[in-house]
């Protein structure tokens, strides 16, 4: 358990409470990591801590980030270091809800590639601070990385009712990476004749997420497009307070990591008003991964009806539904 910063510890406490109410006994260890820890003694994520984390079955993380820490220190040094080092190459984000202005619910999952793209940190800066300053930021797309992500999306779709996968990219402008993604997608699709496919440019996908989210079943896309699209997915599916995510190592060579999509929200931290449902639904994804799908389904069912009140009151109400 990494509660982290801001509202992280508050929502993680509720998630753990709900998991226990669902009848799953977890053996937990808390790690004090995040922006506050960094400000206190300079540790972001030492190699020693990383090696310790490798020994666990799963990691449940609240949120990290504190005002006063320069951008990137915690994001790259903790979150991305965990994603890269533990080879969490799938970021799975489910979106079910009824978008504003719609009466019909949607139910789709975004599969975001989680270890490549512009997130790798390739690039640099020249002549910093001068009028001739240059900054480059590369996007890495390997056949291996793209293919394992697309394959995961097709496997997932093959277990779902609609059996439909949409590739989202920007093949008309990012012609090198886009071509690799499209060719890989077509090659994998040929192995899954029962699965229907579509392609959307990412800008068009932004319109469809709002105006016609029902068209989607499984969406597969690159790291940065997936980052942006999944905030939009949250916004049209009841808000970011409900958006859960799984950072998966499907090969299971180490633990996977589960976290709400929302951040540490320092402005509302400590007030007891953060919505714990995103963290609770992330814990349900963790239970799926740990082979406790019955408990996970029960938690999802308990979260399906509206709840209101403080962070703790919402957690309590969901526990009551699980017992009752
Ligand atoms: C997310 C977050 C992270 C990302 C940040 C905090 C590094 O926005 O999980 O979506 O960009 O992946
Ligand atoms: Mn994001």
């Amino acid at each position: 358990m990494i509660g982290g910063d801001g509202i992280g510890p508050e929502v993680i406490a509720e998630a753990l409470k709900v998991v226990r109410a669902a009848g799953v006994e977890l053996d937990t260890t808390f790690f004090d990591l995040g922006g506050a820890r960094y400000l206190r003694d300079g540790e972001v994520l030492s190699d020693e801590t990383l090696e310790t984390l490798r020994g666990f079955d799963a990691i449940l993380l609240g949120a990290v980030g504190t005002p006063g820490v320069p951008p990137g220190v915690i994001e790259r040094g903790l979150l991305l270091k965990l994603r890269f080092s533990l080879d969490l190459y799938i970021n799975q984000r489910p979106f079910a809800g009824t978008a504003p202005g719609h009466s019909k619910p949607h139910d789709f999952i975004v599969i975001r590639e989680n270890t490549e793209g512009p997130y790798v940190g390739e690039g640099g800066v020249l002549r910093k601070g001068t009028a001739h300053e240059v900054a480059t930021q590369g996007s890495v797309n390997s056949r291996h990385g793209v293919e394992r992500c697309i394959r995961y999306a097709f496997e997932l779709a093959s277990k779902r009712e609609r059996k439909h996968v949409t590739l989202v990219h920007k093949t008309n402008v990012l012609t090198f990476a886009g071509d690799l993604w499209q060719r890989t997608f077509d090659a994998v699709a040929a192995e899954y004749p029962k699965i229907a496919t579509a392609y959307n440019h990412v800008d068009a996908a932004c319109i469809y997420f709002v105006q016609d989210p029902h068209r989607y079943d499984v969406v597969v896309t690159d790291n940065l497009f997936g980052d942006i699209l999944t905030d939009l997915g949250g916004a049209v599916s009841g808000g970011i307070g409900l958006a859960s995510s799984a950072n998966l190592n499907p090969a299971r060579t180490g633990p996977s990591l589960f976290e709400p999509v929302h951040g540490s929200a320092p402005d509302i931290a400590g007030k007891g008003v953060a919505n714990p449902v995103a963290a609770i639904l992330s814990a349900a994804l963790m239970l799926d991964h740990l082979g406790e799908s019955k408990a996970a389904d029960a938690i999802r069912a308990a979260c399906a009806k509206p709840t209101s009140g403080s962070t703790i009151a919402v957690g309590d109400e969901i526990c009551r539904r699980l017992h009752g």
Side-chain angles (χ1 to χ4, degrees):
M1 314 286 295
I2 303 173
D5 301 310
I7 61 171
E10 299 171 49
V11 297
I12 282 306
E14 297 313 305
L16 189 52
K17 190 164 89 184
V18 168
V19 166
R20 296 207 160 118
V24 179
E25 264 318 310
L26 288 179
D27 182 5
T28 57
T29 305
F30 280 81
F31 286 79
D32 176 15
L33 294 169
R37 170 78 192 272
Y38 170 71
L39 290 177
R40 210 166 57 243
D41 68 8
E43 161 139 4
V44 180
L45 176 64
S46 66
D47 290 340
E48 198 193 329
T49 307
L50 174 62
E51 288 320 307
T52 308
L53 287 170
R54 266 188 215 283
F56 287 80
D57 295 320
I59 302 169
L60 185 62
L61 186 146
V64 290
T66 311
V69 182
V73 173
I74 301 300
E75 291 85 345
R76 296 209 71 88
L78 179 58
L79 270 185
L80 300 188
K81 187 168 172 180
L82 285 170
R83 289 178 187 173
F84 295 165
S85 310
L86 300 175
D87 204 19
L88 308 176
Y89 65 87
I90 297 298
N91 196 323
Q92 180 162 333
R93 298 183 164 176
F95 297 102
T98 303
H102 292 266
S103 50
K104 194 171 107 192
H106 58 262
D107 179 359
F108 63 88
I109 299 182
V110 176
I111 299 302
R112 160 187 174 187
E113 201 293 320
N114 213 30
T115 54
E116 299 194 340
Y119 276 70
V120 295
E122 187 204 66
V125 52
L126 275 175
R127 303 187 285 267
K128 188 165 183 168
T130 72
H132 298 277
E133 179 164 342
V134 176
T136 60
Q137 193 89 50
S139 173
V140 169
N141 300 263
S142 72
R143 172 73 194 212
H144 170 71
V146 170
E147 184 169 333
R148 65 184 182 172
C149 175
I150 290 173
R151 203 169 277 289
Y152 183 90
F154 275 86
E155 273 305 308
L156 179 66
S158 70
K159 291 178 201 111
R160 286 170 60 87
E161 209 182 299
R162 280 185 56 205
K163 306 201 186 323
H164 186 279
V165 184
T166 305
L167 171 65
V168 170
H169 209 281
K170 187 74 183 175
T171 56
N172 53 344
V173 174
L174 305 182
T175 50
F176 309 132
D179 180 57
L180 175 60
W181 275 84
Q182 183 73 70
R183 277 186 293 108
T184 308
F185 185 83
D186 293 344
V188 174
E191 294 176 32
Y192 292 85
K194 292 202 180 87
I195 295 185
T197 62
Y199 170 79
N200 292 159
H201 290 318
V202 63
D203 45 354
C206 288
I207 298 176
Y208 300 142
F209 264 48
V210 174
Q211 293 191 343
D212 184 26
H214 317 98
R215 68 173 60 206
Y216 296 117
D217 179 24
V218 175
V219 174
V220 64
T221 190
D222 101 328
N223 206 340
L224 183 57
F225 295 145
D227 174 47
I228 298 164
L229 267 181
T230 53
D231 269 18
L232 185 54
V236 298
S237 309
I240 206 81
L242 303 181
S244 58
S245 84
N247 295 258
L248 300 171
N249 171 341
R252 292 179 184 260
T253 54
S256 289
L257 184 154
F258 304 82
E259 55 172 342
V261 175
H262 63 66
S264 57
D267 53 329
I268 59 163
K271 297 188 176 154
V273 298
N275 189 346
V277 172
I280 293 168
L281 292 174
S282 300
L285 292 172
M286 179 179 75
L287 294 183
D288 284 330
H289 188 74
L290 296 174
E292 298 281 355
S293 285
K294 244 183 99 185
D297 287 342
I299 292 173
R300 279 186 284 268
C303 290
K305 277 180 293 172
T307 322
S308 65
S310 68
T311 306
I312 291 175
V314 168
D316 286 344
E317 170 61 18
I318 290 167
C319 289
R320 253 193 306 279
R321 290 177 188 171
L322 284 164
H323 288 133

